[in-house]
Amino acid sequence: MGSLPAYIARRLLVALPTLLVVSFIVFGLQLLLPGDPALLLAGEDRDPEVIAYMRRLYRLDEPIWVQYGDWVLRVVQGDLGESIRLKESVGSLIGAKLWVTAELAVLSMLWAVAIGIPAGILSAVKRDTIWDWSASAVGLAGLSIPNFWLGIMLILFFSVELGWLPASGYVSPWEDPLGNLAALAMPSFVLGSGVAAVLMRHTRSAMLTVLNADYIRTARAKGLAEKRVVRRHALRNALVPVVTLGAIQLGELLGGAVLTEQVFSIPGFGKLIVDAVFNRDYAVVQGVVLVTALAFILLNLVADLIYFLVNPRMRG
Amino acid sequence: MKRLIALAFAATLAAGTAGAQTTLRIGLAEDPDVMDPTTARTFVGRIVFASVCDKLLDIDRDQKLVPQLATEWSWSDDQKSLTLKLRPNVKFHDGEPMDAAAVKYSLERHLNFPGSRRKGEISQIKAITVVDPLTVRLDLAVPFAPLIAQLTDRAGMIVSPKAAAAMGDKFGSAPVCAGPFKWVERVQQDRIVVERFADYWDGGNIHFDRIVYQPVVDATVRLASLQSGQLDLVERVAATDVDTVKRNSRLRLVQATELGYLGISFNIANGDKAKTPLGQDARVRRAIELAIDRDAINQVVFNGLFTPGNQWVSPQSPWYVKSVPVPRRDVTRAKALLKEAGVPNLSFTLNLPSGSENAQVAQVIQAMLQEAGIDMKLRTVEFATSLQMASKGDFEAYLIPWSGRVDPDGNIWTFSACEAAQNDARYCNPEMDKWLKEARSTNDRERRMAAYEQAAKVQAADLPRIYLYHRTWLYGLSGKLQGFQSPPDGLIRVQGLKLG
């Protein structure tokens, strides 16, 4: 497999064409979208002069390869373009949202890990008992309850009834760390509950496979306490596929969570990209997708590195 | 020592009281676009402008013009020049004087700035003359009555020339005007913060130190934020939530009928889709109108809170033509008309922009038309796409809202005058054109009203669009808030607003 730095370098090199392909697909898809951005941007009055101006300003009449080539050239120089709707640089818009989205994603992941993995272990170890069934039922609920519904129910209970948590909005952690956690508690739980269910299912099945393996039988035969068997021997091996899954889930969370952000008015990637699509703010859509794809690739790399470190066999 | 402690305590208390900031937190239904009066285009943006940028004139609850930055205005005898007297000693947020030169600069910016959305609103202005530091004269090529009403909205907002020149097309990221509050910051899609401007000309009427505008898109969550005390005022409460607000003793509901309307536009002459009985025969459109029960739509979808209507202004408007009342539902007559027109089994498609309210209204209408033997198919299209389809003539009928303008001309001209910008139906009747032109060419109210009366008759006969209802602006307020005015433009004016 070679040295670690060489491995990382090779992976990053492979990432470049991936990003190029992703950006090209998104660019192409946007052009397939019906609806004329210039018409939309002209506002309710649709002044023909304004429409013509917008077309010139955003070069909407030029052929797609010219628009795309131009975009790639600018991105290579670190310029993601300007938002049509907000007249701000896409780079700074993304910069402002990146923190919010990352924080929400990490907090959601914490909920997911804290709930999903113990529940998965429990239902594997106590297979076919009431514990297993309850954990499965809760897991199924986590997967099937729509986020926006769960979100609104939580708001009605914790904000309107009890008045404990704010119903909407985001507070920066630098301004008010506690307020920040209060603002993100419900949205991160809503997002985390779905991921928790996925983690729980996978932890359970991985644990079941491992618990039936020969080396576990050996460990038990050696007279090790069951707790030690589960923790030291089974869990470590079972967690390897769960780590990969977690990384993929985290990547998805980093792409922004449209409905949850909408319900809780959290200014993250999801809201940014949805507003951008509806307003045909192409530069913003492109920028967000590019950054999300990059985050996804990096997270996968990190997951593989963790593999590399936890699993000696992979070091070959 | 004791005295010292007491003194220190008293001083702390005093400092505490003096430093207590009163903040008004307002929940918006959307995130505003760029905040430059010249290029802005969203309704929620106008709500924020109401606290940041004063206008030459304003309107009151009865749609009457009232002074703001201009104290007096008068038309010349030939009605081709409008002279405005400005309020003395008014300053912009950057300390620059708000005078005739600034008014000239701002209006010229609206007229000439690349991509200006205001140009079409005031393009009749041919020259702007500074008569003296507090008098400015606008000369028009031809008399144009709707102009003055435009000055009650973004076209009448006066910006600091110094700041506008320095910031160019970035002016919208931190506008500098002469309103009661000055810009502090904006976090995209999260909040806009403004703080009290100490030198505001009407400072005695301002009772808050800060205003935070927060976009909360979901109506249920917006209301929940009000219920939990996180917001003090929210706009656009859902009609279905009105009872929740009324039942809550700590909240208050304020309502006002909008300037705009919701209507169905028919394709009269825009391409192949117009070549149907629906597009060609007014009797068919009349049958559709007769099959619709506007009151029932209002009751079923909006809890009876909206106002059924049949004209481009609401029945509450001083410009409503009373001799052309809202027709009653008459299914028998509708069927007879269809038979007469030779299409007893009419079938057509209604395009509607996505949104649950639109869908509900369309479904209710669908059911009503079915009783008259009309098969109306629904095609829900995302907003930007629906706009493009309308402009290309790719529609038979199109359900579309209009946000409304202060002057009635703004509600009808652009849709019904031959070759007007938004006449997607390509409707053109010289008779209609004549009356609409007459109405915009004079400031004589009676002559205008007489012209609109004729226009309303032509509209009722031709029915290029069926006006259905006028929405009601529904605001939820914390019970402690007092002095909230609610003019029909739906904006939130902060003057006089205070915590009781």
Side-chain angles (χ1 to χ4, degrees), chain B residues 457-475:
Chain B
K457 285 179 181 159
V458 180
Q459 149 67 27
D462 289 355
L463 285 176
R465 82 179 18 202
I466 295 177
Y467 299 95
L468 292 170
Y469 58 82
H470 307 273
R471 291 155 295 191
T472 297
W473 298 116
L474 298 166
Y475 308 89

Side-chain angles (χ1 to χ4, degrees), chain B residues 368-402:
Chain B
M368 289 170 174
L369 296 192
Q370 210 157 30
E371 286 175 38
I374 302 168
D375 168 34
M376 181 175 82
K377 296 181 181 67
L378 303 182
R379 184 171 175 198
T380 306
V381 202
E382 177 259 344
F383 182 69
T385 313
S386 77
L387 263 188
Q388 192 180 26
M389 291 171 77
S391 126
K392 280 185 174 163
D394 186 8
F395 72 105
E396 288 178 282
Y398 180 27
L399 184 80
I400 182 78
W402 176 243

Side-chain angles (χ1 to χ4, degrees), chain A residues 44, chain B residues 43 46 59-63 235-236 254-263 302 305-309 311-320 357-358 400-407 411 467-475 486-491:
Chain A
E44 219 184 28
Chain B
F43 169 70
R46 291 166 60 203
I59 54 164
D60 66 8
R61 280 196 67 135
D62 305 315
Q63 285 188 51
E235 55 128 353
R236 279 180 273 177
V254 176
Q255 55 191 74
T257 304
E258 67 161 349
L259 291 170
Y261 60 79
L262 189 119
F302 305 110
L305 288 159
F306 287 11
T307 308
Q311 294 171 27
W312 51 92
V313 291
S314 83
Q316 276 110 316
S317 160
W319 294 102
Y320 184 77
E357 240 167 44
N358 288 340
I400 182 78
W402 176 243
S403 68
R405 298 289 180 268
V406 173
D407 193 277
N411 278 10
Y467 299 95
L468 292 170
Y469 58 82
H470 307 273
R471 291 155 295 191
T472 297
W473 298 116
L474 298 166
Y475 308 89
S486 51
D489 58 10
L491 306 188

Side-chain angles (χ1 to χ4, degrees), chain B residues 88-114:
Chain B
N89 309 318
V90 175
K91 279 185 187 159
F92 289 113
H93 301 150
D94 58 359
E96 294 286 301
M98 196 293 300
D99 56 12
V103 172
K104 180 176 160 74
Y105 177 90
S106 297
L107 293 178
E108 282 175 351
R109 186 171 186 267
H110 290 328
L111 285 168
N112 303 325
F113 195 76

